[in-house]
Amino acid sequence: MKPILLLDVDGPLNPFAAEAPPLGYVEHQWRVSRWRRKAGRRAWLNPAHGAALLALAERTDAELAWVSSWEDEANATVGPALGLPALPVVGVRAYEQHPDWKYGAVGRFAAGRPLAWLDDDFGLFPGARQRFLERRGRLATALIPVHPAAGIGPDHLAAVETALQQGKS
């Protein structure tokens, strides 16, 4: 089965915890009608990430998908800003306060498929993370943490590539 590369927006693609946009990042602002914050959404995005992620998906034969509270709004805002096509969305917003966090939704979405997942919140729910990994068993599963003040870098992309290549064997 085709492996999956799961992308969170805030943290990995939008280093929201930085004091200023890191080098190479550009500020974007959107008015999102369904978003909780009436002022809209701001994101710092690195335009080079779109091409890098598409090339990585091509090399590893992986499917890119959003796993973010942005859900479908990522396809309307972040994806076009990065040059990404519309991607599948793992519905996680309903689980934001749930003790299983995103893991249940990801487990259902990625059932039987190798995955690499870029996120900044893997440390929030250690019990849920452990149960998720146990349920995945021997299936290749790489949870790649990204610092929310730095965003993804070449080392993260290399870790994804290594994990997905190893998952093919």
Side-chain angles (χ1 to χ4, degrees), residues 3 8 10 13 27 33 38 43 49 62 77 96 100 105 122 126 143 145 147 164 169:
D8 184 18
D10 290 325
L13 292 173
E27 183 171 318
S33 61
K38 296 192 186 293
H49 283 156
T77 56
E96 285 180 334
D100 201 30
F122 292 126
L143 306 182
H147 194 283
L164 293 180
S169 23

Side-chain angles (χ1 to χ4, degrees), residues 82-113:
L82 295 176
L84 295 174
L87 304 177
V89 175
V90 180
V92 295
R93 195 175 297 151
Y95 300 96
E96 285 180 334
Q97 302 304 317
H98 191 273
D100 201 30
W101 186 58
K102 297 177 181 178
Y103 294 113
V106 167
R108 288 184 293 280
F109 182 84
R113 297 169 68 181

Side-chain angles (χ1 to χ4, degrees), residues 23-43:
L23 185 62
Y25 284 75
V26 176
E27 183 171 318
H28 296 267
Q29 292 192 13
W30 300 280
R31 286 198 126 348
V32 180
S33 61
R34 291 181 285 150
W35 201 261
R36 290 184 289 263
R37 299 177 192 134
K38 296 192 186 293
R41 292 289 291 175
R42 174 199 55 90

Side-chain angles (χ1 to χ4, degrees), residues 155-168:
D155 53 332
H156 298 104
L157 299 176
V160 166
E161 186 157 10
T162 298
L164 293 180
Q165 293 295 359
Q166 288 175 348
K168 288 181 180 180

Side-chain angles (χ1 to χ4, degrees), residues 61-84:
D61 191 34
E63 176 184 12
L64 296 170
W66 300 116
V67 60
S68 169
S69 61
W70 287 64
E71 291 192 342
D72 291 317
E73 295 297 341
N75 278 325
T77 56
V78 176
L82 295 176
L84 295 174

Side-chain angles (χ1 to χ4, degrees), residues 1 3 6 14 18 20 22 47 49 68 76 102 105 114 130 134-135 153 159 168:
M1 295 192 112
L6 298 172
N14 171 29
H49 283 156
S68 169
K102 297 177 181 178
Q130 186 59 38
E134 288 169 0
R135 284 191 300 269
K168 288 181 180 180

